[in-house]
Amino acid sequence: MTRRNQSLDLLRGVAILLVVLVHCQEESTGVVPGLTWFAKNYGGLGVQLFFIISGYTMMLTFGDRLDLAAARSFYIRRFFRIAPLFWVAIVFYLLATRGRGITNFAPDGVGVSEVLLTFLFLHSCSVTAYNSVVPGGWSIAVEMQFYLLFPLLIYLFRRRNGATLCYASIALVSVIGQLAVEPYLIPRLAASLPASQAYLAEGVFTSWLPRQVICFGFGILLYDYIELKNRPTFAVLLLLGAALIVTPQGAEIALLAAFAFGVLISNVSLSWMTVLGRHSYAIYLVHFAVVSLIAGLVPVGLVPLFLLVSAVSLAFSYYLIEPRIERPFNRLGHALASAGGAPKAVVTTA
């Protein structure tokens, strides 16, 4: 069994605070010099930090075996970690929006197809579903796309000389995906939409795995360096080159990976950040509603809104969501995975 790195929860805490900050900035009144600018330009990178952490964590928790039992165990644990709470969020946001969904992303409202695609984690396939049923749900679609590929990637990674091929594949997919998206796919999709909805074309391709896979690649690289004690210099050049050449915000993502490396290699932890990190998934799903509720009641500046939303979202998770939904389903997932005879992996909240 691999030793748990306590810094993972600290990084999750940083990631969720960045995400909450950017959405509070969008709904707050007034401007806080420096902070408003940072939130607007860099707060959204909290999602990419989550992807980096996810790549690292999946490598850490997959287990030692590479067979159907190991893949089965992986998928069961991932499913029960992600799906139950996400499905609850679908119901909650449909009720909260009276069935119309998030109209910024579905101007005509959501229908059965958008809800069904979201339920099946296929919402990234639709321009009106990728983020319209559950706000922020586009990132869950990206995670699910990567889960489908991950057993193949880890099989490749563990073969002799396979790690380099794994990194090269991730870099190639990132480069080809970006070269296809910017000049061809986005303009064509935008041209097929009503002029007032053309902005959705950029958004739907944000939830396309090739545009985010570089983040997971950096997470795998960090695992390779920190947990396996390897020094994959060529892999660093591959991923860094792919990020800097074509990926939007590539330099920022590379700096995020460097930051994550510094935190993980030091194995530091802060108790309050650890709590936020362990509740980050629930906070991510619920904070959109909390931001909307508070900002709709009274005009609030960025700092007080950020503190209020963080505290209220954490309270919802700590007292309601985690004990009533996440914990029971996580235990069920681990029990079902163990029943299949798969090897035990690291116990983690990922």
Side-chain angles (χ1 to χ4, degrees):
M1 178 181 292
T2 306
R3 177 175 57 88
R4 177 184 174 83
N5 192 320
Q6 298 299 316
S7 298
L8 285 168
D9 284 325
L10 188 151
L11 285 173
R12 291 190 187 97
V14 172
I16 193 59
L17 288 179
L18 286 172
V19 172
V20 171
L21 181 64
V22 68
H23 294 132
C24 288
Q25 176 269 324
E26 294 170 354
E27 299 295 335
S28 63
T29 60
V31 174
V32 179
L35 184 61
T36 298
W37 172 85
F38 175 83
K40 184 176 182 179
N41 290 281
Y42 299 109
L45 287 170
V47 173
Q48 280 69 41
L49 181 54
F50 273 126
F51 292 156
I52 292 172
I53 299 165
S54 186
Y56 185 102
T57 304
M58 281 188 278
M59 293 295 292
L60 192 67
T61 61
F62 189 84
D64 296 328
R65 282 164 37 186
L66 289 174
D67 54 20
L68 290 177
R72 172 185 174 277
S73 173
F74 170 79
Y75 283 124
I76 289 173
R77 286 183 283 114
R78 290 288 91 192
F79 177 84
F80 281 96
R81 167 67 178 140
I82 299 296
L85 184 55
F86 188 70
W87 287 342
V88 170
I90 290 175
V91 175
F92 172 81
Y93 281 107
L94 285 175
L95 291 174
T97 61
R98 299 180 182 179
R100 286 189 53 80
I102 313 303
T103 54
N104 287 346
F105 300 98
D108 298 324
V110 298
V112 174
S113 62
E114 285 82 9
V115 175
L116 183 60
L117 286 171
T118 305
F119 181 85
L120 296 174
F121 300 100
L122 299 174
H123 44 298
S124 62
C125 300
S126 167
V127 71
T128 56
Y130 77 95
N131 205 44
S132 61
V133 178
V134 177
W138 71 269
S139 67
I140 309 302
V142 173
E143 285 271 350
M144 286 298 188
Q145 291 170 54
F146 190 71
Y147 291 166
L148 291 177
L149 293 179
F150 182 71
L152 177 61
L153 284 176
I154 197 169
Y155 172 78
L156 184 64
F157 182 90
R158 291 183 181 176
R159 291 176 62 88
R160 185 176 181 180
N161 300 320
T164 299
L165 185 56
C166 177
Y167 294 125
S169 299
I170 290 172
L172 184 63
V173 167
S174 179
V175 170
I176 292 176
Q178 186 61 27
L179 291 177
V181 163
E182 290 293 342
Y184 300 109
L185 298 181
I186 291 178
R188 289 189 177 190
L189 179 58
S192 71
L193 297 171
S196 61
Q197 299 179 19
Y199 66 94
L200 294 173
E202 171 70 29
V204 73
F205 280 111
T206 299
S207 63
W208 198 43
L209 181 60
R211 298 193 81 185
Q212 303 293 342
V213 71
I214 197 74
C215 302
F216 296 97
F218 276 121
I220 294 172
L221 178 66
L222 295 182
Y223 168 86
D224 197 3
Y225 194 100
I226 294 171
E227 301 293 340
L228 300 184
K229 312 299 182 186
N230 292 325
R231 299 296 180 264
T233 304
F234 185 60
V236 174
L237 296 177
L238 278 173
L239 296 184
L240 190 60
L244 295 179
I245 291 172
V246 295
T247 304
Q249 295 183 307
E252 289 89 344
I253 291 172
L255 288 174
L256 270 185
F259 167 72
F261 172 78
V263 172
L264 289 167
I265 199 72
S266 62
N267 199 17
V268 296
S269 62
L270 295 172
S271 58
W272 63 277
M273 289 293 284
T274 296
V275 173
L276 283 170
R278 289 180 176 174
H279 292 268
S280 57
Y281 180 42
I283 294 173
Y284 180 79
L285 291 177
V286 78
H287 84 277
F288 295 95
V290 177
V291 170
S292 181
L293 176 63
I294 296 176
L297 290 175
V298 60
V300 187
L302 176 56
V303 173
L305 182 60
F306 172 68
L307 294 175
L308 276 171
V309 170
S310 300
V312 172
S313 300
L314 176 60
F316 270 116
S317 176
Y318 191 90
Y319 291 107
L320 178 62
I321 299 171
E322 196 277 335
R324 300 293 183 181
I325 303 173
E326 287 192 282
R327 192 188 308 165
F329 280 106
N330 277 332
R331 287 175 176 171
L332 178 60
H334 280 278
L336 291 174
S338 298
K344 292 183 178 180
V346 175
V347 177
T348 176
T349 58

